[in-house]
Amino acid sequence: PPPPPPPPPSSSCSPSPYMHLPPPLLAALASKPYLLYKLVQKLTPSQNLLLPDGTAINRANAFSLPKPDRKVVLVGDASGCSTELGRLAMNATLLIHEATHALYNRSRVGISEDVGDIPAMLGHSTAESAGDYAKKIGCKVLVLNHFSRVYGGDASDASARSMGRVEEVARKASGLHGRRVIAAWDGLSLPVPHHDKICW
């Protein structure tokens, strides 16, 4: 939506609906852009965060539902996604989901049930949990990334086999098939077609 008009000259003592970025914070955003999201989260429904170029951000235009046709959802370090993200992520064209502990399996590594879910405790996901989330939101394509170094990550045959197993686990959990599930590699480039034009 177009930004609201610039703030009118103040003629009363009422609080301004516009919040300006203080210079130190503006400088910090260059290396820590996530600070902007934290500021937006603190806005009241009637407040706007005014950027130097005149763009006004408010909760309505920062967190509104995406428009149809194509939707890309990126899930960074996560051990379960919020209800709010789930609502926004529904029917995503492309879900990019971290799978740091890709092939973790409690019984395979001999961990007893009372230890808890180690990946979740560390704030990360597995290929299976990423696949479960992909199925929950009904995404069309799942790309897994952010793997632990234990899975290699180089061009060796062993790394390729590991990533093949990662994809198979995620396919089983997500119900997606073939190239609809991809274990990402450095430099991967993918088109994001409209829902009805995905031919992978």
Side-chain angles (χ1 to χ4, degrees), residues 31-99:
S31 60
K32 300 177 180 178
Y34 62 87
L35 293 176
L36 185 61
Y37 299 110
K38 292 188 175 183
L39 279 176
V40 173
Q41 287 176 335
K42 293 179 180 178
L43 293 175
T44 66
S46 60
Q47 280 184 311
N48 293 275
L49 182 63
L50 196 62
L51 302 183
D53 66 355
T55 301
I57 301 175
N58 54 52
R59 291 190 65 86
N61 63 27
F63 297 115
S64 61
L65 287 170
K67 295 180 180 179
D69 296 333
R70 285 178 286 192
K71 185 192 299 185
V72 176
V73 175
L74 175 62
V75 178
D77 293 351
S79 58
C81 298
S82 68
T83 302
E84 181 71 7
L85 178 60
R87 182 178 69 90
L88 297 172
M90 289 302 295
N91 301 310
T93 310
L94 172 64
L95 169 63
I96 303 169
H97 199 299
E98 69 96 0

Side-chain angles (χ1 to χ4, degrees), residues 7 18 29 31 42 45 59 66 84-85 114 116 142 157 175 186:
Y18 291 87
L29 287 176
S31 60
K42 293 179 180 178
R59 291 190 65 86
E84 181 71 7
L85 178 60
D114 59 353
L142 169 63
D157 289 343
D186 290 347

Side-chain angles (χ1 to χ4, degrees), residues 19-194:
M19 179 190 300
H20 296 265
L21 288 171
L25 182 55
L26 190 58
L29 287 176
S31 60
K32 300 177 180 178
Y34 62 87
L35 293 176
L36 185 61
Y37 299 110
K38 292 188 175 183
L39 279 176
V40 173
Q41 287 176 335
K42 293 179 180 178
L43 293 175
T44 66
S46 60
Q47 280 184 311
N48 293 275
L49 182 63
L50 196 62
L51 302 183
D53 66 355
T55 301
I57 301 175
N58 54 52
R59 291 190 65 86
N61 63 27
F63 297 115
S64 61
L65 287 170
K67 295 180 180 179
D69 296 333
R70 285 178 286 192
K71 185 192 299 185
V72 176
V73 175
L74 175 62
V75 178
D77 293 351
S79 58
C81 298
S82 68
T83 302
E84 181 71 7
L85 178 60
R87 182 178 69 90
L88 297 172
M90 289 302 295
N91 301 310
T93 310
L94 172 64
L95 169 63
I96 303 169
H97 199 299
E98 69 96 0
T100 303
H101 300 290
L103 297 175
Y104 171 86
N105 181 290
R106 184 193 305 277
S107 59
R108 187 181 303 151
V109 296
I111 295 178
S112 62
E113 288 296 326
D114 59 353
V115 172
D117 187 342
I118 301 299
M121 290 166 62
L122 296 175
H124 290 296
S125 298
T126 63
E128 183 177 15
S129 61
D132 287 340
Y133 188 68
K135 185 173 186 178
K136 179 180 178 180
I137 67 170
C139 78
K140 305 300 182 286
V141 179
L142 169 63
V143 174
L144 303 166
N145 70 346
H146 198 269
F147 305 109
S148 166
R149 286 178 290 178
V150 302
Y151 301 110
D154 53 23
S156 68
D157 289 343
S159 289
R161 286 193 295 271
S162 289
M163 292 299 101
R165 290 197 298 273
V166 167
E167 290 176 343
E168 284 303 315
V169 169
R171 286 189 190 105
K172 183 176 179 180
S174 66
L176 297 169
H177 57 82
R179 299 307 295 167
R180 297 284 183 102
V181 175
I182 300 171
W185 59 89
D186 290 347
L188 173 65
S189 177
L190 287 174
V192 185
H194 289 82

